[in-house]
Amino acid sequence: LHLQETDRARSSSLARSFATANMAAPEFHLSCEIHGHSQDVRAICSSGENMIATASRDKSVRTWTSTPGGYTPVSVLEGHDNFVGALCYAPPGVLSGSNA
């Protein structure tokens, strides 16, 4: 593919126009609140079709299952020595990470 200078300028201008037109911030609405951690949540990940996991400064990871109108707690995973700041779904479970 060979682009002349005018073609490059035109394609660059089109790309900028497209990016600007599509950069409008999406509108998000709170659909539910979940309560269980004693401190702020630092990470969240989807872990399967109807499950999420949350990690907190309270040094725990909690798993939740989707229910009509919200989420129900499933389990509390404890044992970190510091706040949990990272989660990753890696079947068959969730990996979590914190500072030592």
Side-chain angles (χ1 to χ4, degrees), residues 6 8-23:
T6 55
R8 285 189 187 124
R10 187 177 12 227
S11 65
S12 177
S13 175
L14 287 173
R16 278 195 305 275
S17 297
F18 179 77
T20 302
N22 289 303
M23 289 184 66

Side-chain angles (χ1 to χ4, degrees), residues 4 14 30 34 41 43 56 58-59 63 70 72 92 97 100:
Q4 294 178 344
L14 287 173
L30 182 64
I34 56 177
V41 171
S56 170
D58 66 9
K59 303 176 187 175
T63 60
T72 300

Side-chain angles (χ1 to χ4, degrees), residues 10-98:
R10 187 177 12 227
S11 65
S12 177
S13 175
L14 287 173
R16 278 195 305 275
S17 297
F18 179 77
T20 302
N22 289 303
M23 289 184 66
E27 222 175 282
F28 294 100
H29 300 280
L30 182 64
S31 61
C32 72
E33 291 183 24
I34 56 177
H35 299 274
H37 286 288
S38 62
Q39 295 189 25
D40 60 310
V41 171
R42 304 300 295 171
I44 186 169
C45 78
S46 174
S47 56
E49 213 169 284
N50 297 314
M51 300 281 291
I52 62 170
T54 55
S56 170
R57 284 190 190 266
D58 66 9
K59 303 176 187 175
S60 73
V61 173
R62 294 176 179 263
T63 60
W64 312 80
T65 187
S66 177
T67 58
Y71 287 87
T72 300
V74 175
S75 62
V76 179
L77 310 169
E78 298 176 311
H80 286 275
D81 292 329
N82 205 337
F83 75 87
V84 185
L87 289 174
C88 177
Y89 178 56
V94 174
L95 301 175
S96 61
S98 65

